[in-house]
Amino acid sequence: MRILRLEEIENPELKEIYEEIVKRFGDGILRSELIAGNKLHLHVEKGFLRKVSSHIFDELGAFYCTTAGVDERPLGGGFRAYHIFSIDEKNLFIVVSAEASPSLPRLPSIANDVQGANWAEREVRDLLGIEFDGHPDPRRLVLPDDWPEGVYPLRKDFRYDLKEVPRVKKQYPMRRPEAEEYVMPIGPYHPALHEPEYFRLYVRGGRVVDAEYRGFGVFRGVEKVAEGRLTYTQIPFIAERICGICGFTHSSCYCEAIEEASGIEIPERAQYIRTIMLELERIESHLLWVGVACHLLGFDTGFMHCWRIREGVMDLCELISGNRKTYGMNLVGGVRRDITEKGREKALEYLAKMRKELREISEVVSGMSELTARIKDVGILSKADARKLSVVGPTARGSGLKRDVRVDHPYFAYGKVSFKIPVYSEGDVWARLMVRVEELFSSADIIEQALEGIPSGDLMAERIEIPVGVRGLGVTEAPRGENIHFLITGAENKIYRWKVRAPTYNNLPSVPIMLKDESLADAPIIIASIDPCFSCTDRMVIVDEKTGEERVLGAEEILRLARRGEIR
Amino acid sequence: MIKKSIWIYHLNTGGCNGCDIEIIDVLTPFHDAERLGVKLVGSPRHADVILLTGPITRQSMEKAINAITAAPDPKFIVAIGSCACGGGIWYDSYATVGGIEAFYKILRERGVKPPKVIYVPGCPPRPEAILHALAYFKGLASKKIKKRVFVEK
């Protein structure tokens, strides 16, 4: 392996960036390569990891995406952590990686310089056993509480179907409340929707002073199952089952990564079909969220109307793909189903109807002063904090960051359509609501243009060959924000490593900031405002630390209090 | 099977949200399960029927057992979706128990009597299928398949 020469880079902006990096950290760069023209891989010396990362994050203005840990021992290396950064305005990705020794894997932590890396490094530690020196919070993140220390499932010598891992009795360490502070757990089970997640709020006199999160109850070992059991063409189907709301964006992202890694050009018609399905999914997901938000604010009529409008898009998806959700349309190299003339007509018909109905409901919502008063200036995430944590999607756009993968790193047919990206600078729940409502109209614009401009032709690429040992990086804009799949191809028609980073992963760490100093009654809507794949109409337990007395509020009571905007 | 209104509790044990959203869909006016007297409750202590989704992950298992034992007898479980019915695509993953059968084995080992279960397969099942299961409790619909045991010779 070798160092990339400057002449090999065509992109003038990347050339400039690379020149600067080589000038400053020349000795620390062990290896460098350029993939797909805009993804610069830098393999650096351990000691340079922090310096190079903070140079990219602070001085080049890059956003942090995620960290992927890989067990490269079977390839003749050690353990490697890939830190992925994206420079949005220049459509560039920089992947900085360093190797840890196989016997005692240790790497310096970048989480102090790049706050967003906090969770990702904890995940790598859990799954691969790389210790990050100087990490501010080295607690367990993704593995279950009863998982024994020292068993690392993503190492290659761990069998994916090993069920007999012993259970240990251990509690997840959480901060003890201080005097005058009350603990208010939200979770792990919710009456209305979604997943087993747990928020612990520290409350003082009805105000939230701090919050902690313990989630990953839905950790199913997707990556390991895919590496262990599935072939390339089967993975889109498991990718679609990562999320039942935005599954198509995951399978598209995986296919994008594989297609990029192996240089497969997919037919233009397939690109348009993927674009249309992605936008239909966005409409479905945003309508769902707007409905849930109305429900949390006590406006159940709005909830029911949003879900009524949503039923049309579900029927449309069923007409096109054969299923209401988990469409199963993506394959490496193209799509399995065409959009017929009937599907096209129905889609246009639905979009026109949706626009009209949505306009009505958004006028009602924005005209209700009792509703807007609950969400304006509530749950504020400042632009600086948003940048520090590298939040994505509507959460970022509600805080004044103009980030959208569809424009920053155009994929599929997004380069060929024009649409508006709503950005609000307020950073409150209202801004995030408005971003999503306006995006619904943009999505309708995109679908209409795509249906207009869709060319005829094949659905699958003719030649599909996947080389061994290449890296791919796929990025799509899911309804909740940037979605990243990083992969390394392997032998025997199987993938060597597949790392998935869903948007909520980057957005959730911003919730404690939003909750700070807010009224407890606003907590459900603030948590839901990032659309964290769950709504929070939860039962809560108030524990009086001094007397040890426990008072349980039911969902009804909490909702009633939350709607009244107060809490006893 | 249940004479009075059916109070349901939604228990996600690691599902991907596909089934969970379809459950909510069943409760909204388009499918309107409430006309059958179905009511979603916030606590398992109030529930007659537990709608279980997901392959039962390791992290959620203990909590799921707590929720199931908290529900008063007589109680029923509806296993919604392929994951809950048999583990689905995650049946052999290290991080899941792998479906309701394997979960019931653990319950029996711990001396908890597992409630009767109704299966609603699908990925995700259509809202009509979930509605069918709820109508079955009211005696309005019958089971679609009979139990058959195959023994390997």
Side-chain angles (χ1 to χ4, degrees):
Chain A
M1 278 297 166
R2 61 200 187 81
I3 305 268
L4 204 65
R5 275 176 291 120
L6 269 180
E7 304 86 77
E8 288 171 82
I9 302 175
E10 279 174 23
N11 187 330
E13 283 165 328
L14 185 61
K15 204 173 196 162
E16 202 180 304
I17 289 169
Y18 183 61
E19 197 175 0
E20 175 73 16
I21 291 176
V22 170
K23 208 170 83 191
R24 289 175 67 161
F25 314 105
D27 311 336
I29 296 169
L30 303 175
R31 203 168 107 192
S32 56
E33 57 187 312
L34 187 65
I35 296 176
N38 68 341
K39 295 172 181 87
L40 179 67
H41 282 248
L42 299 172
H43 296 221
V44 302
E45 177 66 44
K46 242 180 176 175
F48 281 80
L49 192 59
R50 273 186 77 168
K51 278 184 247 167
V52 177
S53 302
S54 46
H55 170 72
I56 294 167
F57 185 71
D58 293 328
E59 284 161 52
L60 298 179
F63 283 96
Y64 170 78
C65 296
T66 192
T67 300
V70 185
D71 177 5
E72 294 189 348
R73 289 175 302 169
L75 305 178
F79 295 97
R80 188 174 281 281
Y82 293 84
H83 298 292
I84 304 169
F85 295 89
S86 110
I87 304 181
D88 280 353
E89 60 269 28
K90 294 175 184 157
N91 186 14
L92 296 174
F93 287 94
I94 303 182
V95 183
V96 184
S97 67
E99 195 173 75
S101 80
S103 50
L104 189 71
R106 296 193 90 87
L107 281 177
S109 164
I110 63 162
N112 291 312
D113 315 311
V114 185
Q115 260 191 39
N118 188 320
W119 275 27
E121 286 191 344
R122 284 165 69 185
E123 182 187 323
V124 173
R125 182 187 165 273
D126 276 12
L127 299 177
L128 282 153
I130 303 178
E131 291 292 334
F132 287 91
D133 293 324
H135 191 283
D137 180 17
R139 280 182 298 178
R140 178 168 285 186
L141 184 75
V142 302
L143 286 177
D145 293 342
D146 61 6
W147 191 272
E149 286 287 337
V151 182
Y152 304 111
L154 265 187
R155 288 192 176 182
K156 287 289 170 188
D157 44 17
F158 183 91
R159 250 180 42 228
Y160 76 92
D161 57 351
L162 186 72
K163 295 237 186 211
E164 298 82 28
V165 179
R167 293 173 185 276
V168 294
K169 270 213 162 1
K170 212 176 164 198
Q171 280 262 311
Y172 181 74
M174 286 195 145
R175 182 168 85 72
R176 297 281 306 164
E178 289 161 20
E180 307 282 300
E181 254 180 24
Y182 293 88
V183 168
M184 180 79 103
I186 301 188
Y189 277 109
H190 307 249
L193 298 181
H194 300 313
E195 298 128 303
E197 311 284 321
Y198 176 65
F199 275 90
R200 183 181 227 194
L201 306 186
Y202 298 86
V203 185
R204 196 173 284 163
R207 294 263 145 203
V208 180
V209 287
D210 196 5
E212 275 204 285
Y213 171 74
R214 172 68 179 139
F216 294 88
V218 197
F219 179 70
R220 292 155 294 178
V222 186
E223 293 168 2
K224 189 73 185 181
V225 169
E227 286 168 29
R229 163 155 57 92
L230 303 177
T231 60
Y232 287 126
T233 43
Q234 290 171 333
I235 295 180
F237 300 96
I238 205 172
E240 209 154 6
R241 280 151 183 89
I242 291 171
C243 177
I245 303 173
C246 54
F248 194 78
T249 194
H250 281 288
S251 67
S252 301
C253 197
Y254 162 78
C255 291
E256 196 195 344
I258 277 269
E259 284 153 10
E260 185 202 271
S262 35
I264 300 168
E265 283 279 330
I266 71 162
E268 223 179 324
R269 189 171 177 88
Q271 296 189 0
Y272 271 82
I273 291 173
R274 280 189 189 167
T275 308
I276 292 165
M277 292 314 289
L278 283 171
E279 290 309 313
L280 284 176
E281 193 175 69
R282 193 182 318 278
I283 290 179
E284 172 254 320
S285 174
H286 279 356
L287 278 173
L288 183 156
W289 182 84
V290 175
V292 169
C294 287
H295 173 65
L296 287 174
L297 293 166
F299 180 41
D300 262 359
T301 315
F303 170 51
M304 297 299 182
H305 275 297
C306 284
W307 280 66
R308 173 180 56 80
I309 302 170
R310 183 177 173 271
E311 206 55 37
V313 75
M314 302 301 277
D315 289 344
L316 183 60
C317 290
E318 187 177 1
L319 181 78
I320 294 171
S321 74
N323 203 3
R324 290 161 58 88
K325 271 313 305 175
T326 47
Y327 313 129
M329 286 195 22
N330 269 330
L331 280 181
V332 174
V335 291
R336 288 172 65 220
R337 274 170 172 261
D338 203 353
I339 293 182
T340 57
E341 189 53 35
K342 191 180 174 206
R344 204 182 94 97
E345 273 168 30
K346 285 276 173 200
L348 292 173
E349 202 178 288
Y350 170 73
L351 290 175
K353 191 162 159 256
M354 185 207 82
R355 270 177 208 276
K356 189 172 149 277
E357 292 179 339
L358 194 66
R359 204 161 284 133
E360 280 169 16
I361 197 154
S362 63
E363 271 166 25
V364 170
V365 167
S366 52
M368 280 172 82
S369 54
E370 58 272 49
L371 200 96
T372 47
R374 287 292 312 282
I375 52 176
K376 277 195 177 163
D377 292 323
V378 168
I380 293 176
L381 180 71
S382 70
K383 192 174 175 179
D385 282 332
R387 156 95 183 98
K388 239 183 347 199
L389 289 169
S390 294
V391 299
V392 294
T395 313
R397 294 195 282 278
S399 290
L401 289 178
K402 196 166 193 265
R403 301 190 70 189
D404 192 319
V405 182
R406 293 175 291 175
V407 179
D408 299 331
H409 313 284
Y411 53 100
F412 304 152
Y414 284 109
K416 294 163 192 138
V417 292
S418 64
F419 55 98
K420 189 172 160 263
I421 304 170
V423 178
Y424 283 78
S425 56
E426 286 86 346
D428 51 7
V429 177
W430 177 80
R432 294 191 276 278
L433 172 77
M434 291 316 288
V435 166
R436 289 198 179 91
V437 170
E438 287 186 25
E439 268 182 27
L440 280 165
F441 292 108
S442 309
S443 292
D445 288 344
I446 295 172
I447 297 170
E448 279 166 356
Q449 288 174 49
L451 283 171
E452 188 68 37
I454 187 167
S456 55
D458 289 340
L459 298 179
M460 285 290 289
E462 275 187 12
R463 191 195 59 84
I464 298 171
E465 276 170 32
I466 300 166
V468 177
V470 291
R471 298 191 192 90
L473 186 65
V475 194
T476 56
E477 180 78 13
R480 291 160 186 80
E482 174 196 73
N483 179 23
I484 284 205
H485 287 214
F486 172 80
L487 52 85
I488 301 176
T489 58
E492 292 171 1
N493 208 16
K494 274 186 182 169
I495 206 133
Y496 185 78
R497 174 79 171 96
W498 175 41
K499 159 80 188 169
V500 178
R501 207 285 331 269
T504 305
Y505 199 93
N506 271 26
N507 286 341
L508 260 178
S510 69
V511 169
I513 296 174
M514 295 177 190
L515 282 171
K516 197 141 199 174
D517 293 329
E518 292 293 349
S519 148
L520 187 55
D522 291 331
I525 184 67
I526 293 172
I527 294 172
S529 74
I530 66 157
D531 195 359
C533 275
F534 68 86
S535 111
C536 204
T537 51
D538 204 343
R539 72 187 265 284
M540 307 185 188
V541 186
I542 302 178
V543 183
D544 190 334
E545 275 294 317
K546 275 183 265 177
T547 60
E549 192 187 314
E550 198 168 294
R551 189 156 68 91
V552 179
L553 302 185
E556 287 293 309
E557 199 178 349
I558 276 294
L559 263 185
R560 207 183 63 237
L561 294 170
R563 283 167 185 179
R564 225 165 51 198
E566 60 177 88
I567 205 119
R568 276 179 296 194
Chain B
M1 286 164 86
I2 298 173
K3 283 192 185 139
K4 295 183 176 172
S5 304
I6 310 168
W7 284 19
I8 56 171
Y9 176 70
H10 172 202
L11 183 70
N12 178 333
T13 61
C16 70
N17 275 337
C19 304
D20 310 274
I21 298 299
E22 295 297 40
I23 290 173
I24 305 301
D25 220 68
V26 167
L27 295 162
T28 50
F30 191 86
H31 295 286
D32 193 16
E34 292 188 359
R35 72 198 136 115
L36 302 174
V38 172
K39 187 179 175 229
L40 188 72
V41 292
S43 165
R45 289 179 211 283
H46 304 156
D48 302 306
V49 173
I50 293 172
L51 305 184
L52 190 141
T53 64
I56 305 136
T57 59
R58 226 179 127 118
Q59 172 79 328
S60 69
M61 191 189 81
E62 297 295 334
K63 293 153 193 157
I65 293 175
N66 285 348
I68 289 171
T69 44
D73 285 324
K75 60 190 160 198
F76 301 93
I77 284 188
V78 183
I80 291 180
S82 306
C83 298
C85 289
I89 203 162
W90 329 98
Y91 75 104
D92 59 353
S93 163
Y94 66 95
T96 70
V97 172
I100 198 104
E101 271 304 311
F103 180 53
Y104 271 18
K105 219 175 117 194
I106 294 173
L107 283 186
R108 280 189 211 103
E109 278 168 15
R110 297 199 181 184
V112 180
K113 191 174 160 268
K116 192 179 169 187
V117 61
I118 307 286
Y119 293 92
V120 184
C123 189
R126 299 182 54 85
E128 288 87 340
I130 301 172
L131 214 49
H132 190 106
L134 294 171
Y136 168 74
F137 285 111
K138 296 256 69 163
L140 298 170
S142 52
K143 277 192 187 178
K144 288 202 166 173
I145 44 170
K146 282 200 186 84
K147 183 178 178 180
R148 285 167 76 190
V149 181
F150 295 93
V151 184
E152 210 174 323
K153 279 184 183 167

